[in-house]
Amino acid sequence: MASPPPPEPALPPSAGLESMEGLVLDTVICKAGARPAAALACASTRLRAAVADDSLWRRFCAEDLGLEAPVDPDGRPLPSFQVAYKVWLESFGMYPLPLVKRVKKFWSSMKTWLSENFPEAAKTLCKGVTEAQLKSAEDDLGFKLPMPTKLLYRFCNAQLPFSENHEANKCTSTHGIIGGYAFYDHWVNVHLSPLEQIVEETTEFYREFPDVFNGRKLIIVATSWFHPKTFLLNCSNGELYVGTNNLPLGEMLPCVPKALIKPTDNDLPQDGLLLWLEEHLRRLQNGMIKTRMLMKSRYISLYPEAPPSCTSAVTNGVQVRGSAVFVPEHPGAQRSCMYTYSIRLSVPEACMLGGVYYSSCQLNSRHWTIRSRDRVVSDVRGEGVIGQYPVLSPGQDEFVYESCTPLPKGPGSVEGSFSFVPGKLSQPEGKLFEVMVAPFPLEVPEYIF
């Protein structure tokens, strides 16, 4: 019996590609991805020529890294997209590229927003750290940092650290990229800490409060220069916390929904710090929070500026906007939740009462009703607001003031009214009239800043 013919030798995978026409070949290589494309370049002269097409690498750079121009991680121009992809892979190849693209996009968008809206804060951002610096920080801390946090600091080493120069700190004290609030003598402005400050402050905190950190692998990632407010990242599970007034006793609250945190996801890990910063950027971009002047300095105000957190009502031409912020670090929050609220008063067009136009009106008194779970817990009446009796006229800037209130249990709300007189209190031009304050919420939010 004749033996069967020997099987024909298998063709290498590249042989099939060799027979493809240009457009089909380009499509196949493009769908294969950058790393298989680089391997194909070693298979034959024709494939090497196809893979060398820089339009192909332009697409790889855009899809994998979010690059629109052939530049290195420091923004310096490179001769081609193929070279750019290689340089970026050498710098960040130890991380999942979808995460690299995501973190790059965050910092690019944050820097753009700051440059356009808050250039003073943009100037405080620092150049990213190296892998060696991250390794040194991990050695000093005694544990590993979460991958998303490491990438955040590779792209940007947060903000300039506070120094021992009190006057220098005052100049940048309101420039925290997280922002804050101010009411009475309680001023908060949160800065994102650079790597060296993280190591220094975390080490000091371990030394001062060893029981708080016992085996928990926490690091301090953001702080306030004015009244202390501290944000801590748990490097074991990726959760982000804010310290309460009882932080020395270990009391902290989560700042990010726990369900979203995936520090060990192989494809796209995300920890609390990255999620927190991305949410903060979204609020800046959509106008939920904005910059405002404090004394003579600009700062990011955390008082919401848009519904549903900020409410608005107009009565007889007088507009009142109100919103509140949860204040976990306040000393008064030990037995209840503490909130600071911001009230903005204005006359956008005209003060009208009974069909009569008045050129101005002046606040006389206030009435607040504060509810906790639909139960009235406080009903307050008083003269003026924070000792002032503002006069409002059409076209003027809003009169803004801040105050605070405790709330036994949440959620709750604030509503009320102001009484005004047409003209001025010293020379009224008509009868007192009431201006309504639409209810605005008091609640512990999912994201705490």
Side-chain angles (χ1 to χ4, degrees), residues 43 78 120 205 414:
L78 293 170
E120 304 95 320
F205 209 87
V414 177

Side-chain angles (χ1 to χ4, degrees), residues 130-142:
T130 64
E131 282 296 315
Q133 288 173 304
L134 285 170
K135 177 65 167 58
S136 177
E138 290 176 329
D139 291 343
D140 290 339
L141 292 166

